[in-house]
């Protein structure tokens, strides 16, 4: 509650600031500085290192990647020949290459579960409860844990006769099961781990959004006799819409780009290979840089298209960068 | 809360009670789901290898609660000390770099009018749309051409150069700092760099704290970049060292568990001490 009261008065102040400061910019405080030749290049001195890094490690790779995707380069030898759309044709016609896309659906379903759980607990914990901070901490903590450690924790958890089997046997659901042994249960188990790991992040985002709702709104609603459910529908739901849409977009692109957990836990065996695992293997184990680049380009395009659709559907009024 | 003795208004008083009970139940279940896998690994880390291999239940308690020999094994054979050292080295440079780069970029963009400003902004904006995992095949070649593969500078540069989130955090924050401060300093004869160093940078402290926390935790936990760029055994960070540790200890779950707990422990301590800042940091970092 303290958060809501402190943000409320600061908002008008922040909005007022630019009004007060923009005109002042037009009146130069020191004429000599205005005319100084250094002034033109000053911003570039600050931007030199950031832009160099940005271009070297983002734009140059993207450009190169598109070029490599049209070649048969192996990543090592000095010669490569342009093969046109050959890599793309391979990607879409060889079922074993394309199949990995379907693994994403497990993670997509997991993301949906994750968002629902996070939304529920964020709503519950934004009201007064005993041990509120304790529960907040517990729900969020998995997100902070090292991915390799999580992989091992759950490798042990899913072992034949391991933790999960022991817990299930208490409830009379008997039998040891090799959870990571067949593709169906392996992918479900891995997707479960991703729910365990990432729910906390969504939860904190939702919690932040809910807590920035002014407290008076709830009080007014309570005076009008609105139930918790009505409060959720008419106050909470509309105000977290931007964060919700952000979570959806992160969930979709995240589901396509899963790497760590399946790589650490199964190495992509028993049908758990994801798109990124396959790309990494193609590039760094089988030296098929060209084909791997084509994979990466396709993934990048899909993510860009999804982001574009999301921006169209939910116009983001927060993009106020310039 | 008085006990509802009257019968004329049962619903509004009884309903919330059941609701509250269910709420606590759901919280309890969620806590168990989070804690059980971790607690089991902790228990396993205290068991002797015989206790584990004898096939007792994974949930059984260790005989000797003070059996830390597995930790010694993991620490020693897993080369954890070196891994922590490498991670600390990378953390130090990449966090310092990210803070400097992010604040300089934000300062230049917010405080100056210059040609191509919009282009520069667009470059940073579009870059947020490109997920790092997709470009690594080509980024690897760039890093390779600098001869930096298998050096600790590769991840440092990559962490510094691709962190657009921190630029946004700084940008949001720097807007709240009144320009009249800059102008006053300028009248006193300060040049642009002095203003950045003496006025803007110190005022950015809360944003710096956010960036340090978010960047620190994600860097500490990152696996993908050290795994791809530092294949040598002696360059292992805690992620890759733990990953490699499993190889020779394949079935020795007591040692692997100890390794995992060793890696989790620093995060847990930092989380307990800085809880509030960490929540805020991640909430800001992800939405901006």
């Amino acid at each position: 509650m303290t958060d809501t009261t402190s943000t409320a008065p600061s908002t008008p102040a922040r909005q007022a600031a630019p009004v007060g400061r923009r005109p002042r910019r037009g009146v130069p405080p020191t004429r000599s500085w205005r005319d100084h030749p250094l002034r033109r290049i000053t911003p570039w001195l600050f931007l030199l290192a950031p832009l160099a890094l940005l271009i070297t490690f983002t734009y140059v790779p993207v450009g190169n990647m598109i070029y490599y995707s049209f070649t048969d380069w192996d990543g090592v030898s000095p010669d490569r020949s342009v093969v046109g759309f050959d890599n793309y044709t391979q990607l879409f016609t060889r079922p074993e290459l394309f199949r990995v896309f379907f693994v994403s659906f497990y993670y997509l379903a997991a993301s949906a579960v994750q968002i629902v759980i996070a939304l529920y607990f964020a709503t519950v914990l934004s009201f007064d409860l005993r041990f509120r901070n304790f529960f907040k901490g517990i729900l969020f903590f998995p997100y902070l844990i090292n991915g390799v450690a999580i992989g091992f924790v759950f490798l042990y958890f899913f072992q034949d006769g391991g933790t999960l089997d022991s817990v299930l046997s208490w409830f009379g659901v008997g039998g040891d099961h090799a959870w990571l042994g067949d593709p169906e249960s392996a992918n479900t188990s891995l997707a479960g781990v991703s729910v365990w790991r990432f729910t906390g992040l969504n939860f904190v985002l939702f919690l932040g959004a809910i807590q920035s709702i002014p407290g008076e709104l709830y009080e007014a609603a309570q005076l009008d006799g609105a139930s918790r459910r009505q409060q959720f529908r008419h106050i909470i739901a509309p105000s977290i819409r931007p964060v919700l849409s952000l979570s959806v977009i992160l969930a979709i692109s995240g589901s396509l780009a899963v790497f760590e957990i399946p790589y650490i836990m199964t190495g992509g065996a028993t049908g758990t290979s994801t798109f990124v695992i396959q790309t990494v293997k193609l590039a760094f184990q089988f030296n098929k840089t060209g084909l791997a680049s084509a994979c990466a380009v396709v993934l990048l395009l899909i993510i860009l298209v999804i982001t574009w659709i999301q921006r169209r559907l939910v116009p983001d009024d927060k993009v106020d960068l310039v | 809360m008085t006990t509802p003795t009257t019968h004329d208004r049962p619903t509004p008083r009884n309903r919330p009670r059941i609701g509250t009970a269910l709420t606590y139940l759901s919280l309890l279940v969620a806590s168990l789901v989070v804690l059980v896998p971790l607690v089991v690994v902790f228990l396993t880390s205290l068991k002797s290898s015989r206790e584990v291999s004898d096939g007792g239940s994974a949930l059984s308690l260790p005989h000797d609660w003070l059996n830390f020999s597995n930790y010694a094994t993991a620490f020693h054979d897993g080369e954890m000390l070196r891994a922590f050292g490498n991670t600390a080295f990378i953390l130090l440079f990449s966090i310092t770099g990210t803070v400097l780069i992010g604040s300089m970029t934000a300062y230049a963009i917010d405080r100056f009018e210059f040609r191509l400003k919009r282009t520069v902004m667009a470059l940073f904006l579009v870059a947020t749309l490109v997920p790092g995992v997709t470009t690594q095949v080509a980024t690897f070649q760039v890093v390779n051409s600098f001869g930096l593969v298998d050096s600790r500078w590769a991840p440092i540069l990559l962490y510094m150069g691709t962190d657009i989130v921190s630029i946004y955090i700084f940008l949001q924050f720097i807007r709240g700092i009144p320009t009249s401060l800059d102008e006053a300093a300028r009248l006193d004869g300060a040049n642009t760099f002095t203003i950045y160093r003496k006025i803007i940078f110190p005022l950015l402290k809360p944003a710096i704290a956010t960036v340090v926390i978010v960047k620190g935790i994600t860097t500490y936990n990152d696996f993908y970049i050290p795994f791809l760029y530092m294949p040598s055994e002696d360059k292992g960070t805690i992620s890759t060292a733990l990953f490699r540790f499993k190889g020779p200890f394949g079935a020795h779950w007591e040692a692997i568990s100890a390794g995992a707990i060793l890696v989790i422990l620093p995060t847990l301590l930092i989380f307990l001490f800085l809880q509030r800042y960490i929540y805020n940091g991640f909430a800001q970092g992800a939405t901006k």
Side-chain angles (χ1 to χ4, degrees), chain B residues 185-264:
Chain B
R186 182 149 289 150
L187 285 178
D188 287 342
N191 67 29
T192 320
F193 291 96
T194 320
I195 293 172
Y196 165 75
R197 204 162 53 84
K198 292 236 167 104
I199 304 208
I200 301 292
F201 197 76
L203 283 172
L204 282 176
K205 262 183 201 143
I208 293 173
T210 301
V211 169
V212 168
I213 288 173
V214 173
K215 191 75 187 170
I217 291 174
T218 48
T219 307
Y220 179 85
N221 287 336
D222 189 39
F223 171 69
Y224 193 61
I225 286 179
F227 175 71
L228 282 186
Y229 292 92
M230 298 190 298
S232 291
E233 196 92 355
D234 63 316
K235 304 272 181 1
T237 65
I238 57 130
S239 289
T240 45
L242 183 62
F243 183 69
R244 288 183 196 127
F245 177 59
K246 185 169 171 286
F249 287 86
H252 285 276
W253 277 104
E254 69 286 352
I256 297 169
S257 299
I261 296 289
L262 267 183
V263 166
I264 295 174

Side-chain angles (χ1 to χ4, degrees), chain A residues 59 120 130 144 146 159 321, chain B residues 24 26 123 175 221 239 253:
Chain A
Y59 288 97
Y120 167 76
R130 256 165 210 269
L144 303 176
N146 185 286
Q159 263 203 333
L321 292 166
Chain B
Y24 279 110
S26 64
L123 280 178
R175 289 206 176 120
N221 287 336
S239 289
W253 277 104

